[in-house]
Amino acid sequence: MGAQLRLLPPSLPFRFFAAAAVYHVVLWALLALGADEVPGFVGGPGLPLAALHALTLGVLAMTAIGATLQILTVATGQALRALWPCHLVSWLYIPGVGVLLVGLAINDHLVSAAGLLPVLAALGLFGAITADLLRRAKGLRVPILYIWTALAALAGLALLGFLLVADLGHGILAGWGVDRSAIGLAHMILAVYGFMGMLALGYSQILVPMFALAQAPAFPRNLHIHVALAAALILAVVWALVPLEGLSTGGLIVAAGIGLVGAAAHVAQMVTALRTGMRKRLGLSFVLVRVSWGALVASLVAGPLALMGLLGGQGVTLWGAIALLGWLLTFLLGVLQRIIPFLVAMNASKVGGVPPRLSELAPDMPLLYHAACHAAAVVLVLVGLVADQGWPVRIGASIGVCGGLAYLWFAIAVYRRMHGPRPERGAPPPATGGPGVEAGGETSNGKR
Ligand code: HEM
């Protein structure tokens, strides 16, 4: 019941999830349009950069905002002080990202700036709302540490992102004697492993045990893992920003090594939760989640290999694709297809009547289409990068667009079932073993 009291008006988290589902289609469409420029992309304006930020700002950060506003209020038991700041974040961020993408795609600095300012204002406000919730939260010590780390990384990546956009328009960095690629690398590490990475690992501490009906990850082992990952992140950002010939590459490889140990230990804790959980059949969503864990570890092996030049000219782009498409996007799409029906069920039962089963809410056909398209799209993009060819990227991205449309179909169908007609209770459950019954939460330091 406490959880239901903390439910936000459904349109608030869902507008972010809906926008993420739309930008997911935009990501693949931009990648298909700019396919010939993708192999060899190491920054600079154009369609690949716009596609990259349709993914990072339009899908990853967008979902993170919607999920954080809802999950943190339920998990911490703390209410938001007011709803209007959350509405304001959505009015600034959702269209702001669109304008920024256009500016990056056509390399128009004024348009980029017109999009960037509302995006930065929204991210700042989101940071303030989240910090206020974290400050008042009780319990959940380790997940909260992850989210504080993610907020600190968000501040850093936004500042570096601002400098990178300003440099696109005014070439300021060279004038300051600052190496643009060093800023780009630090921005990428802070954004991928800092902001999005820490949020994904932090929320996994809550969501994976919740969906698997398992014990929360063991304390203080999960705290030690967080300390190792945070240390690796700080080391990597410092070495990226201080390009000392030979030394910084060595420093980055050491940081990646520490990160690899931390990430492997995190994945081991998650696998233990799945193995010991009371719910064994977790369906398609956790196939995506498990694949993403493999990609997380692979990205921390590919990174150092790319830095040592052992992955060829495409090394850095390949590393970015494994981390962003293989790990973060796959993880997010796996978890989101559980969160959306879960939230709809919570809201539907709030309006009285028999709470719907999650399996009644989530049509499985679009998810099957999506999973097949997503796998083909990611593999073909990676093949295009390894082969240094644009056409596999174009085919892959076009299949990605189909997968994105299937995911949008799923999201709309579930949302409509919140108020609309649902399949008859007792109708045969879907073939893929949908999400199943509701779950209870546990705190991450082992206390119920
Ligand atoms: C405040 C929002 C952001 C702005 C203004 C921004 C801006 C930029 C710009 C201008 C570049 C091009 C750098 C270059 O030409 O070398 C870039 C690169 C990149 N950004 Fe962002 N970004 C933002 C947020 C993010 C987020 C949230 C992520 C990931 C989660 C991300 C991931 C990346 C990656 C991976 C690169 C490629 C690195 C490179 O080019 O060296 N960005 N960003």
Side-chain angles (χ1 to χ4, degrees):
M1 285 313 294
Q4 273 194 334
L5 290 173
R6 294 279 170 264
L7 275 183
L8 302 177
S11 74
L12 196 48
F14 280 97
R15 69 186 63 178
F16 291 101
F17 299 156
V22 172
Y23 277 118
H24 180 213
V25 178
V26 172
L27 139 74
W28 289 116
L30 288 171
L31 213 58
L33 289 172
D36 292 332
E37 302 156 58
V38 171
F41 169 73
V42 282
L47 287 167
L49 187 64
L52 174 65
H53 289 83
L55 166 61
T56 57
L57 291 172
V59 182
L60 301 177
M62 185 74 74
T63 305
I65 296 172
T68 297
L69 295 176
Q70 183 59 85
I71 294 175
L72 268 191
T73 45
V74 169
T76 63
Q78 298 297 325
L80 291 163
R81 291 186 190 280
L83 284 181
W84 69 262
C86 305
H87 289 286
L88 182 57
V89 169
S90 70
W91 298 329
L92 290 167
Y93 190 74
I94 297 175
V97 168
V99 176
L100 176 60
L101 296 184
V102 172
L104 294 176
I106 63 174
N107 191 17
D108 183 308
H109 183 59
L110 280 183
V111 177
S112 298
L116 178 62
L117 297 178
V119 164
L120 291 178
L123 290 174
L125 187 52
F126 163 70
I129 296 168
T130 307
D132 174 55
L133 278 173
L134 294 177
R135 229 172 17 77
R136 292 184 281 130
K138 309 252 176 323
L140 283 180
R141 255 187 313 187
V142 176
I144 284 187
L145 268 180
Y146 273 100
I147 301 166
W148 274 122
T149 314
L151 285 189
L154 176 62
L157 82 90
L159 173 65
L160 297 179
F162 176 80
L163 288 177
L164 288 165
V165 171
D167 189 56
L168 282 176
H170 308 287
I172 50 170
L173 295 175
W176 296 347
V178 173
D179 174 0
R180 181 184 168 80
S181 64
I183 301 288
L185 182 60
H187 169 77
M188 172 179 180
I189 292 170
L190 272 172
V192 172
Y193 294 99
F195 175 50
M196 284 311 304
M198 289 292 174
L199 282 183
L201 300 186
Y203 285 134
S204 298
Q205 306 265 321
I206 303 172
L207 295 175
V208 172
M210 183 179 101
F211 288 127
L213 293 183
Q215 286 288 334
F219 180 85
R221 186 174 161 73
N222 56 349
L223 176 64
H224 299 156
I225 293 172
H226 174 265
V227 170
L229 292 168
L233 179 71
I234 294 165
L235 265 180
V237 172
V238 168
W239 283 116
L241 287 174
V242 186
L244 296 173
E245 200 51 42
L247 258 185
S248 51
T249 306
L252 282 164
I253 292 169
V254 170
I258 300 170
L260 182 59
V261 172
H266 166 82
V267 171
Q269 280 207 317
M270 292 297 114
V271 170
T272 304
L274 297 188
R275 219 185 27 250
T276 56
M278 290 191 289
R279 179 181 302 126
K280 297 299 177 201
R281 290 181 51 198
L282 290 164
L284 194 55
S285 62
F286 269 79
V287 174
L288 295 179
V289 168
R290 284 189 182 91
V291 168
S292 78
W293 288 336
L296 162 61
V297 172
S299 78
L300 289 163
V301 174
L305 293 178
L307 290 167
M308 291 189 277
L310 297 175
L311 289 183
Q314 306 302 331
V316 173
T317 320
L318 202 53
W319 168 36
I322 293 170
L324 286 164
L325 295 174
W327 169 37
L328 288 175
L329 181 61
T330 307
F331 174 82
L332 184 136
L333 293 170
V335 169
L336 195 55
Q337 65 184 250
R338 296 197 78 93
I339 289 179
I340 293 177
F342 183 74
L343 271 183
V344 165
M346 295 269 278
N347 280 290
S349 49
K350 195 174 170 186
V351 288
V354 181
R357 286 201 198 94
L358 298 187
S359 52
E360 290 169 0
L361 292 169
D364 54 339
M365 198 49 72
L367 292 177
L368 275 174
Y369 284 148
H370 165 258
C373 291
H374 182 75
V378 174
V379 168
L380 280 165
V381 168
L382 295 177
V383 166
L385 292 176
V386 171
D388 192 9
Q389 295 285 326
W391 64 266
V393 176
R394 184 172 296 106
I395 296 174
S398 308
I399 297 173
V401 169
C402 305
L405 291 171
Y407 204 89
L408 191 55
W409 163 21
F410 157 78
I412 293 169
V414 177
Y415 190 73
R416 290 183 59 212
R417 289 181 183 182
M418 180 154 36
H419 301 298
R422 286 188 217 100
E424 274 311 302
R425 170 62 49 90
T432 61
V437 294
E438 285 74 13
E442 292 181 6
T443 60
S444 289
N445 41 23
K447 300 197 190 72
R448 273 203 170 277

